[in-house]
Amino acid sequence: MDIVRAPQPQYRQARFADIEDIAAIEAEVFAEPYLYLMLRQLYDLHGSDWLVAELDGTVIGYALTLRKASRALLFTFAVAEQHSGKGYGRALLSHMLQHCRKDGAEVVYLTVRPDNEPAANLFKRAGFEFVEHDDEYFGPGEPRGVFEYRLRSRHLDS
């Protein structure tokens, strides 16, 4: 019996030309997506902190981290719906954590909507630990779970 493996994306630093694909994934995955103009400005300021997963010439996922001192925030992260559940998100997270470690971060944190169990489960499986629930993280009626990954005390898979 032949086992067919899913094609493996290339994980690389984002390029300006990727913003359109990133915006399309944002619109597909999130109820309140970042608009192209916001993504463009984030790219202008943090272009070297964007990682993408590219498969057959198309961006299928992305991660943007923002770092201050030894802490990095996973600001936005998504994989296109047609490619979810294939391990690409987990691999992208691994590359992002390696990037943050090389960049000097000791802790990576992120927030997740309480009703987004698939995302929370992905981050937990990747080694993120639930830290707290904040009922008003983004203001009244905007709760989030906060998760952390301590880079200093862990060995990352390559």
Side-chain angles (χ1 to χ4, degrees):
M1 171 189 222
D2 289 332
I3 297 175
V4 178
R5 292 180 51 102
Q8 292 305 301
Q10 173 189 6
Y11 298 92
R12 61 169 175 78
Q13 184 177 331
R15 297 186 285 257
F16 178 74
D18 297 327
I19 297 173
E20 237 176 90
D21 288 339
I22 292 168
I25 296 169
E26 275 278 325
E28 174 188 62
V29 173
F30 297 111
E32 295 178 21
Y34 291 112
L35 302 175
Y36 180 93
L37 68 97
M38 296 169 186
L39 297 170
R40 164 61 196 261
Q41 290 176 328
L42 285 166
Y43 182 84
D44 285 348
L45 292 171
H46 305 283
S48 64
D49 298 316
W50 283 95
L51 295 177
V52 298
E54 179 183 57
L55 185 62
D56 297 327
T58 302
V59 172
I60 63 164
Y62 59 87
L64 170 60
T65 53
L66 306 177
R67 189 172 68 81
K68 182 173 182 176
S70 63
R71 290 179 57 84
L73 167 66
L74 180 53
F75 185 77
T76 186
F77 171 90
V79 173
E81 288 179 359
Q82 74 183 62
H83 296 287
S84 67
K86 297 177 182 173
Y88 301 140
R90 176 65 184 101
L92 182 58
L93 278 175
S94 180
H95 282 82
M96 177 275 301
L97 291 168
Q98 290 172 11
H99 175 80
C100 288
R101 176 176 271 166
K102 283 187 226 172
D103 208 26
E106 294 178 12
V107 174
V108 177
Y109 72 102
L110 57 89
T111 65
V112 178
R113 293 180 73 97
D115 62 350
N116 192 347
E117 287 183 41
N121 289 334
L122 170 67
F123 296 127
K124 287 177 193 173
R125 284 191 308 273
F128 282 82
E129 296 176 2
F130 178 80
V131 176
E132 70 175 318
H133 174 83
D134 186 330
D135 280 329
E136 297 185 352
Y137 189 88
F138 286 121
E142 291 295 331
R144 295 294 186 275
V146 180
F147 293 79
E148 284 187 351
Y149 188 104
R150 297 202 168 277
L151 289 164
R152 207 170 178 182
S153 61
R154 296 182 186 241
H155 177 274
L156 296 175
D157 298 332
S158 33

